[in-house]
Amino acid sequence: MKLKNLFSTVRRLGNSYSHWVMLLPYLLLFLAFILLPILLAVGLSFTNFDSVKIDSFMALENYIRAFTKDTVFMQKILPNTILYAVIVGPGGYLLSFVMAWILSQLTKVPRTILAVILYMPSLISGVAVSTIWAVTFAGDRTGYLNTLLIQWGVITEPITWLQSTDYLMPIMIFVALWSSMGIGFLSMLSGILNVDREQYEAGLIDGISNRVQEVIYITIPNIRSQMLFGAVMAVVNTFNTTGLGVALSGSNPTPDYAGSLIVNHIDDVGFIRYEMGYAAALSVVLLVIVWVFNKLSYKLFGDSD
Amino acid sequence: MSVLLVLALIITQLGIFTATAGSEGRNSSEGSSDSISCVEKAKNAQYWITLDDSDIICTAGSDDMQINGNAPECQMDAAFVGAGESVLVSVNVPSAGDYAIVLVYQTIGNIIVQSSIGVNAGNRQIKSYINGVWCDESKDYLLDRYNNEVTPSQEKVDVFVKDYVRDCTTLDFEPVSFTLSAGEQVITIENNDQDIYLQSVLLTKVPQIVDYRTYSASFDGSTSSQPIIIEGEDYLAKSDSYVRTKADINPSCYPYSSFQKLLNAVDYYSWKTAGQRVVWQFEARETGWYHIAFHYTQSQKEGQAVYRNIEIDGKCLFREMNEVGFDYTGSDFANKILTVDGQPAKIYLAEGVHTISLFTSVPSVAQVIGKINTIRNELSEIGLDLQQVAGANADPNRTWDIETYIPGITDHLRDLQKRLLEVFDELSAMSGSSAASCANLKQAAGIIGESLKRPDKLPTYVNQLSVGSGSATDMLAQLVNSINEQGMSLDRIYLYGDNYDLPNGQAGFWKSLWHGIQRFIHSLMNREGAYGVSSAGANEKNAITVWVNRPISYVETLQVMTDSTFTPKTGIKVYFSVMPDEGKLLLANASDTCPDVALGVTGDRPYQLGARGAAYDLTAFDDFSDYIYENFETYDLEPFVYDGSIYGIPETKNFYVLMYRTDIMDKLELDIPNTWEDVANMMPVLRRSGMTFYMPLSSATGTKPLATIAPFFLQNGADLYSKDGMSTALNSENGIAAFKRLTDLYTLYSVQNNAPSFYNNFRYGVMPIGVAGFSSYVEMIYAAPEIAGKWAIAPAPGTLQPDGTINRQQVSVDRSDLIMKSTTKPDQSWEFMKWWMSEETQVEFAYTLQTKYGSEYVWNSANKHAFNQMSFPKSDRDVIMEQWQESANYRTMPATYMLERELSNAWYNVVNNHISPRTALNEAVFTINQETAIRMQQFGYIDEDGNVIKKYDMRSAAEILEEVKNR
């Protein structure tokens, strides 16, 4: 009788808590590698930790400094980041969608080949930046672009593209767009391919007369979730881009901060100026910005129900 | 899962068992058991060349020598010939004819630079190497703390070397034959680089070598039944200190273990130039005939062979032992059996001790190389002529009547093209197949052909012909360099009879697989990342942990040196780790796993850590100032000063000199500039020929390092900071003038503002002159053989002072050493640091590095006495020392990084965006002062309203040292 009782207790407990057991591995990892660091960063952002010692509690002073005293942050970094994000985020996103749609119109073999080709840049971009683009935009006569322009008589003296305050940002945007056909693109492609063909036929009967209407009334509503995923990835990626400007120009900060984004600035403040507390505050600001844009993506593409 | 793990354990245990059982482990009874040291052995042995008495025509001893008209100083019957001196030797030639000259000499001192002498006799002038005799200190290899064998230190053997005069400028390393007429003749010997004792000069017959058939007919007997196996790493002596052994990870090598690195072969990377001779000693137990086979790998030259001459007892026995080709093997090892006409050749050995030596000499290839070099030189001459006509970037739409500018140029080019194709045929016939690299010749010929299609547009072809990468001259230079490389690794030499089964050259599939599995499992269970950062010494009472920001080869050498010298002397154990990223220091500080000492950190690290209380104040040690006065220049400590304390000591020191191409400067008739005004004045001439001046500033991408801009301020007497340190003084009148001088070079005189590689541009002749640092200088000496002898150095340009002198100051800060604040063993750490930066250790370290790894491993010690002893070519040495006197350093301040950054931004603004220097500098000053205020407030020097609470200590390192001394 008692034994039976015990069994039922165990079963009852098992029934009500088993999902926790299942969740445990993920929870532990999430706690250790995501939640804890974020909490630590938030905690540090209220101090003046200089990577050696913590002198005093600063309350919100770090945040106030970011928006009132840090001229570089407000004049250069934030505008750079927003410009970059506004063009590369939606731009890359649109490009991904258009490319995915065009590819979906092809037959299987060329589609697969082209998909791989388009996807490739996002995989190799780290290496490619230093090999392909640094050579293309090299600042002496041997750089590809300089050589071509000199040959065509457009310029007479080589332009130092990657150290120039005028050209660095456009080049960064160009390279980012080139490598933007990433995982979001793949998910949209699979989404489009999985749309039920019968819907298009039904649409045709219902009076759809061209491809644009097909895309707007059938394709997009069908792949909402993939588009949401793509949008989230695009937002997160653009704000978290670190290496591009630094890899292209050769140093952090980039010349006159022309290509410095917020993550570069955090790096600069934390590891070059030893102001970990302030760097932590800036990363919290970054976290908030990314969060806001994610909310926006959900508003646009999330399920309304 | 657990089954796998158990299996893995069993396999590894088995593996360790077999390894210790020693089927392929080192056979300890060989070599190490006898008590004679390697040096003694090398001294006693007969090597290099042997001469029969009948070969010697006449001998001139020290009595027959004259230096500057006087009889030379003698010691051990030998004349002392200092570097730079020349000796006249009179010899009595009995009859006119061709003779070879043999020198008997000994090098003095341990200079590692490849030294040469010029020999002038009869009709010829020859540049010949003089070698020391080197050997391993011991064949009982030391083990590092991972049980791997460590490359042994090198010892120079003080014996007289007897060797022919050989031409060292080519691959033809045969004895040079001099044509002498009868009677009293004078041979002039110019000693270029190194002091030597010259004992005698012998005149001998030019060696005549019989062919195999004649040789084999001259002895009787059967093949030996006692095979002889000589291990590659067991060499007796060699001509260069840095021909070294390596541990090749390949199961077909002997000895080999999957669990530790055993030195088993002569390293191809160190044994690749003509004339590097390695000698092995062996004992034949039986008189008779022996086959010879070599277990080797040659992975560098696909489709081409590398060559070695084989000599037994200092003599070539038959012609086929010369120019033995070792084919490409890929990454595998293979056996090469010496053959004549496809049949294995045999040599006859009497019972007893013999030597076998290998070196490279390929007269046939040398001839081809000579031809290519002549063509290349003519082509670059043509290129320079063309550049003088229309610059390097001629207008493509213009035409020239080129023959009126440079008469005969088209015929000359046509001739060059023809000769190139001839050389191509010759070379491909030689290597059997047309090796891929020979294609360079065809391409170069193709480029010339292309340019000849439009002779009226020849000046536009300069880039393809002679300037830049991929040009015809560059391709030829690359080809020559690749042919000149004669590297091969040698694991074993076999001498054996007919009924001996030669072991396979390659390990079998199963054996390789087995070793692969063992290695893989071993890598999981062991720390394969040797010298990874650890705090190994933390728990030991008398041990310290040292992190070093240098490659593993440096750290390994350091560990061995410490273990053999420092630890026995002081009883302090030292654990070294490689620290590839200095950021680790910060992280370790946060997690309290700091090392005691950090070596090789960047120049501003001690300050940054010191100001935040993470570095140890070195002035706390009683003998600090005495130690510094004794070993360093006080200004070198300037970057480490904060608040009256000094947080680091310099480890290495940079220098900047002016490097220039003598051939091009002569052609353009330019003088060597002394001041920046001179540089500005020569720019128009350079630009007209499409060339430009190089500044270290130009090659820095992104932020321009302060060390490249600061010299202008230093030379102009402009301070970087105000007297109280609370602001910057960049925009003082002197400062603005200095900055303007710098930017004018770019904006008015078109110095190229982006120059990614001085090394390449200097070789191509695009930047025939420029200010270059230590690393560029070393690169040019050791990695640019095609322009050897065509360039020189001079002190860096400076600024003319009101009193007429020239201030050539350059910044010298490089790497530094520090002790961490968290250390519990400061005294031991300081003891170690004192030992490490002492003159003795530094000289020894520099020497060990170069002897072990090659002369390109130059160690630019910051110890002033050690720097003095660096091995540079004699002529450069004086210039470098002169420039060294002019080194200076700026102090680090709380916001120096911002000063560097804003100066760099100001430079960009002036050069790229055409803002006036004054405006740009003023903008920079504003930002720098702002940042300085933030830092000063953080460090507690000013309060929130900007009032000074505490004075910033602006005393210089010299003043602080003085104060510490009197404390």
Side-chain angles (χ1 to χ4, degrees):
Chain A
M1 189 63 194
K2 264 195 170 167
L3 206 66
K4 206 177 168 189
N5 242 340
L6 191 71
F7 270 132
S8 71
T9 319
V10 169
R11 184 168 300 155
R12 208 177 61 240
L13 279 178
N15 277 341
S16 44
Y17 294 106
S18 61
H19 60 287
W20 287 111
V21 179
M22 296 298 190
L23 271 174
L24 196 64
Y26 173 77
L27 276 184
L28 280 181
L29 292 176
F30 180 77
L31 214 69
F33 293 110
I34 309 231
L35 199 60
L36 202 64
I38 291 179
L39 291 179
L40 273 177
V42 174
L44 282 178
S45 71
F46 298 121
T47 68
N48 68 346
F49 182 50
D50 64 355
S51 70
V52 177
K53 56 187 189 308
I54 298 177
D55 272 347
S56 57
F57 182 71
M58 308 268 287
L60 287 177
E61 206 165 304
N62 279 330
Y63 293 93
I64 296 167
R65 178 175 157 205
F67 292 103
T68 56
K69 280 193 200 153
D70 192 343
T71 44
V72 170
F73 181 67
M74 290 306 282
Q75 285 178 359
K76 306 262 170 75
I77 307 292
L78 216 48
N80 278 349
T81 313
I82 289 172
L83 177 73
Y84 180 83
V86 162
I87 298 181
V88 174
Y93 183 63
L94 267 181
L95 210 61
S96 293
F97 177 75
V98 171
M99 285 299 173
W101 186 78
I102 292 175
L103 281 194
S104 71
Q105 309 300 308
L106 299 175
T107 52
K108 188 160 187 239
V109 175
R111 185 176 67 222
T112 316
I113 295 172
L114 285 173
V116 170
I117 292 176
L118 284 174
Y119 182 54
M120 200 69 82
S122 73
L123 281 181
I124 58 167
S125 67
V127 187
V129 164
S130 48
T131 51
I132 305 176
W133 299 114
V135 179
T136 307
F137 293 108
D140 60 354
R141 265 168 212 284
T142 58
Y144 294 152
L145 189 59
N146 276 331
T147 312
L148 282 181
L149 291 182
I150 290 175
Q151 250 172 36
W152 294 336
V154 182
I155 52 175
T156 51
E157 283 294 307
I159 297 175
T160 48
W161 302 102
L162 299 176
Q163 272 81 42
S164 148
T165 43
D166 297 334
Y167 298 114
L168 183 57
M169 184 47 101
I171 290 173
M172 280 169 63
I173 290 172
F174 170 76
V175 174
L177 285 178
W178 169 76
S179 63
S180 65
M181 250 69 74
I183 192 128
F185 158 76
L186 284 190
S187 78
M188 279 193 267
L189 180 59
S190 67
I192 295 174
L193 289 176
N194 280 326
V195 176
D196 195 349
R197 305 297 314 168
E198 285 175 14
Q199 289 190 22
Y200 292 109
E201 283 164 32
L204 211 63
I205 293 165
D206 281 351
I208 279 181
S209 56
N210 58 35
R211 280 296 177 84
V212 179
Q213 285 180 335
E214 237 181 55
V215 170
I216 292 173
Y217 293 114
I218 299 174
T219 312
I220 292 184
N222 262 304
I223 62 162
R224 262 179 100 105
S225 53
Q226 283 90 352
M227 290 193 70
L228 172 64
F229 177 71
V232 172
M233 292 310 286
V235 169
V236 173
N237 279 341
T238 41
F239 277 103
N240 283 344
T241 313
T242 49
L244 209 47
V246 173
L248 285 171
S249 76
S251 77
N252 185 26
T254 53
D256 214 12
Y257 307 97
S260 293
L261 304 182
I262 189 161
V263 179
N264 304 125
H265 194 56
I266 293 173
D267 226 42
D268 175 15
V269 169
F271 292 101
I272 300 178
R273 309 189 202 182
Y274 295 80
E275 289 184 81
M276 285 291 180
Y278 183 44
L282 287 177
S283 30
V284 173
V285 171
L286 175 64
L287 185 73
V288 171
I289 295 178
V290 172
W291 181 74
V292 167
F293 276 88
N294 267 340
K295 278 280 146 206
L296 209 68
S297 311
Y298 275 94
K299 273 255 147 39
L300 282 173
F301 300 103
D303 285 328
S304 33
D305 38 65
Chain B
M1 188 63 207
S2 56
V3 176
L4 265 177
L5 203 70
V6 170
L7 202 69
L9 273 170
I10 292 172
I11 290 175
T12 323
Q13 290 314 312
L14 265 177
I16 288 170
F17 175 73
T18 49
T20 43
S23 61
E24 281 138 39
R26 191 171 297 290
N27 192 346
S28 58
S29 68
E30 242 176 76
S32 59
S33 64
D34 42 22
S35 55
I36 309 172
S37 78
C38 287
V39 180
E40 285 308 313
K41 260 190 178 171
K43 255 185 194 168
N44 295 334
Q46 270 299 320
Y47 37 80
W48 258 244
I49 60 162
T50 34
L51 293 171
D52 294 336
D53 287 342
S54 60
D55 290 336
I56 301 172
I57 308 292
C58 74
T59 308
S62 51
D63 303 338
D64 307 311
M65 299 179 194
Q66 272 196 337
I67 298 177
N68 296 332
N70 303 318
E73 272 176 60
C74 283
Q75 212 163 19
M76 299 180 286
D77 272 349
F80 173 85
V81 188
E85 291 181 334
S86 53
V87 200
L88 303 182
V89 187
S90 37
V91 290
N92 213 342
V93 185
S95 62
D98 289 347
Y99 297 96
I101 297 176
V102 172
L103 303 179
V104 184
Y105 60 88
Q106 179 178 330
T107 53
I108 306 171
N110 296 337
I111 294 184
I112 305 138
V113 179
Q114 187 61 270
S115 314
S116 67
I117 51 170
V119 178
N120 230 327
N123 52 347
R124 300 189 70 173
Q125 185 172 12
I126 296 296
K127 190 177 168 200
S128 181
Y129 284 144
I130 43 173
N131 297 119
V133 177
W134 295 84
C135 67
D136 289 351
E137 181 191 51
S138 163
K139 299 284 182 192
D140 292 328
Y141 305 116
L142 295 170
L143 299 181
D144 67 9
R145 71 179 130 121
Y146 304 102
N147 247 350
N148 295 326
E149 288 181 345
V150 176
T151 318
S153 290
Q154 300 300 310
E155 294 260 336
K156 188 167 157 273
V157 188
D158 287 328
V159 289
F160 279 94
V161 177
K162 189 195 287 175
D163 199 3
Y164 288 107
V165 170
R166 307 167 189 265
D167 185 353
C168 70
T169 54
T170 69
L171 273 183
D172 178 359
F173 223 61
E174 300 304 315
V176 177
S177 93
F178 294 88
T179 312
L180 300 175
S181 41
E184 179 98 1
Q185 295 287 331
V186 173
I187 300 172
T188 315
I189 297 171
E190 292 155 13
N191 185 14
N192 297 330
D193 303 304
Q194 186 175 7
D195 299 347
I196 58 169
Y197 289 124
L198 185 61
Q199 194 180 51
S200 54
V201 177
L202 313 176
L203 220 55
T204 69
K205 290 180 197 157
V206 179
Q208 295 299 324
I209 302 163
V210 297
D211 64 2
Y212 181 58
R213 197 188 292 206
T214 325
Y215 172 78
S216 57
S218 56
F219 294 98
D220 266 342
S222 56
T223 59
S224 161
S225 58
Q226 301 250 19
I228 304 162
I229 297 172
I230 306 166
E231 296 290 347
E233 70 276 14
D234 279 340
Y235 50 72
L236 177 73
K238 57 209 171 128
S239 61
D240 271 342
S241 65
Y242 40 84
V243 174
R244 66 175 177 271
T245 51
K246 73 161 176 180
D248 208 309
I249 309 285
N250 187 322
S252 73
C253 287
Y254 308 88
Y256 174 78
S257 155
S258 303
F259 306 102
Q260 61 183 123
K261 287 184 187 159
L262 297 177
L263 297 175
N264 50 18
V266 179
D267 190 356
Y268 71 89
Y269 187 74
S270 67
W271 191 33
K272 59 183 177 185
T273 57
Q276 283 177 326
R277 185 190 287 257
V278 182
V279 185
W280 291 264
Q281 192 175 38
F282 63 94
E283 189 178 352
R285 294 203 191 90
E286 198 183 317
T287 303
W289 292 96
Y290 291 84
H291 297 290
I292 307 185
F294 299 90
H295 189 230
Y296 78 103
T297 178
Q298 195 263 95
S299 53
Q300 297 304 298
K301 298 172 74 173
E302 195 163 1
Q304 287 180 46
V306 305
Y307 299 92
R308 290 290 184 276
N309 282 9
I310 307 168
E311 286 187 352
I312 302 285
D313 296 329
K315 261 198 159 161
C316 178
L317 302 180
F318 47 87
R319 203 173 294 148
E320 286 82 357
M321 285 173 83
N322 278 349
E323 291 190 48
V324 179
F326 289 83
D327 290 331
Y328 177 75
T329 62
S331 56
D332 286 327
F333 271 75
N335 282 330
K336 162 83 189 176
I337 301 171
L338 179 67
T339 55
V340 175
D341 301 331
Q343 292 299 312
K346 290 178 282 191
I347 60 164
Y348 189 80
L349 291 175
E351 194 183 327
V353 177
H354 299 273
T355 63
I356 179 170
S357 59
L358 296 186
F359 65 98
T360 298
S361 168
V362 213
S364 51
V365 176
Q367 246 179 14
V368 176
I369 291 180
K371 284 182 194 164
I372 299 176
N373 275 334
T374 323
I375 296 173
R376 189 169 65 89
N377 286 339
E378 288 176 32
L379 201 54
S380 39
E381 277 288 306
I382 292 180
L384 276 179
D385 287 337
L386 285 174
Q387 263 173 290
Q388 281 186 314
V389 171
N393 299 286
D395 182 354
N397 301 316
R398 206 193 129 170
T399 57
W400 287 264
D401 183 8
I402 198 69
E403 287 286 335
T404 59
Y405 290 99
I406 312 167
I409 182 172
T410 44
D411 287 341
H412 194 174
L413 278 174
R414 213 162 277 131
D415 176 51
L416 288 180
Q417 187 190 13
K418 204 179 99 220
R419 278 154 64 195
L420 274 176
L421 292 174
E422 282 167 13
V423 172
F424 176 79
D425 292 340
E426 209 174 318
L427 204 58
S428 29
M430 215 176 282
S431 58
S433 59
S434 62
S437 59
C438 300
N440 275 7
L441 288 169
K442 265 221 150 114
Q443 284 180 25
I447 291 173
I448 297 179
E450 194 64 33
S451 73
L452 280 171
K453 282 188 191 155
R454 289 296 300 270
D456 55 338
K457 284 192 182 292
L458 258 184
T460 60
Y461 283 95
V462 166
N463 282 319
Q464 284 96 312
L465 287 175
S466 71
V467 179
S469 101
S471 65
T473 50
D474 180 42
M475 275 194 257
L476 296 180
Q478 275 176 22
L479 177 64
V480 168
N481 289 350
S482 90
I483 298 178
N484 270 327
E485 299 249 314
Q486 296 281 329
M488 66 178 250
S489 292
L490 185 64
D491 169 46
R492 265 185 165 183
I493 305 171
Y494 298 97
L495 295 156
Y496 58 98
D498 277 339
N499 40 20
Y500 175 73
D501 275 336
L502 193 63
N504 273 338
Q506 281 178 41
F509 174 75
W510 294 111
K511 191 177 171 189
S512 303
L513 187 68
W514 173 237
H515 280 282
I517 293 171
Q518 283 184 329
R519 273 184 60 72
F520 173 67
I521 292 165
H522 188 62
S523 73
L524 297 179
M525 309 180 61
N526 212 319
R527 4 60 345 188
E528 195 72 346
Y531 293 103
V533 286
S534 73
S535 39
N539 301 320
E540 277 178 61
K541 221 177 129 211
N542 210 10
I544 56 171
T545 312
V546 180
W547 287 4
V548 189
N549 188 6
R550 302 247 179 222
I552 193 151
S553 44
Y554 289 73
V555 178
E556 201 179 273
T557 311
L558 198 51
Q559 179 85 58
V560 171
M561 264 179 72
T562 316
D563 289 350
S564 59
T565 326
F566 179 70
T567 309
K569 204 168 74 185
T570 60
I572 301 167
K573 258 185 123 168
V574 185
Y575 292 96
F576 287 98
S577 299
V578 176
M579 165 179 64
D581 172 18
E582 281 176 33
K584 273 224 162 83
L585 272 182
L586 282 180
L587 300 177
N589 196 60
S591 61
D592 218 12
T593 51
C594 262
D596 299 294
V597 178
L599 303 183
V601 295
T602 42
D604 72 330
R605 190 72 59 174
Y607 179 91
Q608 299 292 0
L609 293 179
R612 291 170 174 79
Y616 202 91
D617 177 8
L618 300 180
T619 56
F621 299 110
D622 292 338
D623 52 351
F624 179 70
S625 50
D626 292 331
Y627 179 73
I628 297 299
Y629 286 137
E630 197 184 309
N631 292 295
F632 300 98
E633 307 286 352
T634 47
Y635 60 78
D636 278 337
L637 279 90
E638 213 65 69
F640 317 130
V641 170
Y642 172 70
D643 199 20
S645 302
I646 295 173
Y647 289 98
I649 57 175
E651 181 176 79
T652 50
K653 195 166 167 168
N654 202 350
F655 60 77
Y656 289 90
V657 288
L658 183 74
M659 297 176 62
Y660 59 94
R661 288 279 296 269
T662 43
D663 52 344
I664 296 176
M665 289 295 110
D666 287 349
K667 184 108 194 170
L668 299 181
E669 295 171 352
L670 284 170
D671 292 329
I672 306 312
N674 275 313
T675 65
W676 296 112
E677 275 67 40
D678 294 348
V679 172
N681 290 336
M682 74 190 291
M683 279 312 292
V685 184
L686 285 176
R687 295 294 295 168
R688 217 172 297 140
S689 302
M691 300 169 183
T692 181
F693 186 87
Y694 169 78
M695 307 252 280
L697 174 74
S698 310
S699 67
T701 55
T703 309
K704 305 290 180 189
L706 186 51
T708 62
I709 298 184
F712 285 84
F713 286 86
L714 292 172
Q715 292 174 7
N716 217 29
D719 288 329
L720 299 185
Y721 308 99
S722 66
K723 289 274 177 290
D724 63 353
M726 294 295 166
S727 58
T728 171
L730 284 181
N731 56 349
S732 67
E733 279 313 308
N734 275 351
I736 290 170
F739 189 62
K740 189 165 180 308
R741 179 168 291 127
L742 166 67
T743 51
D744 277 356
L745 284 174
Y746 288 91
T747 51
L748 298 183
Y749 300 99
S750 328
V751 169
Q752 192 171 320
N753 55 22
N754 185 292
S757 165
F758 177 56
Y759 168 68
N760 280 331
N761 285 322
F762 192 67
R763 290 189 308 145
Y764 302 152
V766 181
M767 296 183 176
I769 181 167
V771 178
F774 166 74
S775 55
S776 295
Y777 171 72
V778 171
E779 226 173 4
M780 229 59 89
I781 286 191
Y782 296 109
E786 70 271 27
I787 54 165
K790 287 186 188 166
W791 59 275
I793 61 171
T799 302
L800 195 66
Q801 303 296 302
D803 61 358
T805 57
I806 297 171
N807 183 338
R808 299 176 191 268
Q809 278 184 335
Q810 290 283 345
V811 171
S812 67
V813 59
D814 202 17
R815 305 285 189 93
S816 56
D817 302 338
L818 60 93
I819 299 178
M820 296 300 286
K821 180 83 180 179
S822 57
T823 179
T824 50
K825 300 148 189 159
D827 293 325
Q828 283 101 320
S829 302
W830 174 237
E831 198 60 39
F832 165 73
M833 215 141 105
K834 273 198 300 189
W835 168 82
W836 162 235
M837 282 316 295
S838 68
E839 178 189 350
E840 207 186 348
T841 313
Q842 286 293 301
V843 171
E844 164 95 22
F845 184 71
Y847 175 71
T848 314
L849 266 189
Q850 280 195 303
T851 50
K852 246 166 112 169
Y853 298 109
S855 38
E856 65 270 34
Y857 276 72
V858 188
W859 179 252
N860 47 334
S861 174
N863 182 304
K864 55 186 174 190
H865 308 296
F867 191 94
N868 247 318
Q869 296 172 46
M870 269 164 85
S871 51
F872 288 127
K874 176 120 184 71
S875 50
D876 294 352
R877 189 179 184 78
D878 302 334
V879 175
I880 292 170
M881 288 322 290
E882 185 184 338
Q883 182 65 48
W884 201 70
Q885 304 299 332
E886 299 254 18
S887 328
N889 275 312
Y890 47 84
R891 65 184 303 140
T892 316
M893 293 289 287
T896 294
Y897 59 89
M898 190 50 83
L899 182 112
E900 176 172 50
R901 186 181 297 180
E902 284 303 320
L903 256 183
S904 162
N905 286 341
W907 181 88
Y908 277 116
N909 275 328
V910 176
V911 174
N912 283 347
N913 303 340
H914 313 294
I915 295 170
S916 88
R918 188 179 289 268
T919 320
L921 214 48
N922 279 333
E923 268 174 36
V925 165
F926 177 75
T927 321
I928 298 166
N929 285 343
Q930 206 178 23
E931 185 77 10
T932 308
I934 294 177
R935 257 338 106 224
M936 285 294 184
Q937 190 184 336
Q938 193 189 351
F939 290 166
Y941 287 98
I942 55 179
D943 65 11
E944 277 171 33
D945 306 321
N947 304 314
V948 179
I949 318 170
K950 198 165 86 178
K951 265 183 92 170
Y952 190 88
D953 193 337
M954 286 295 281
R955 283 179 301 164
S956 69
E959 288 167 307
I960 292 169
L961 281 169
E962 203 52 40
E963 188 248 340
V964 170
K965 192 180 160 69
N966 301 327
R967 212 181 261 171

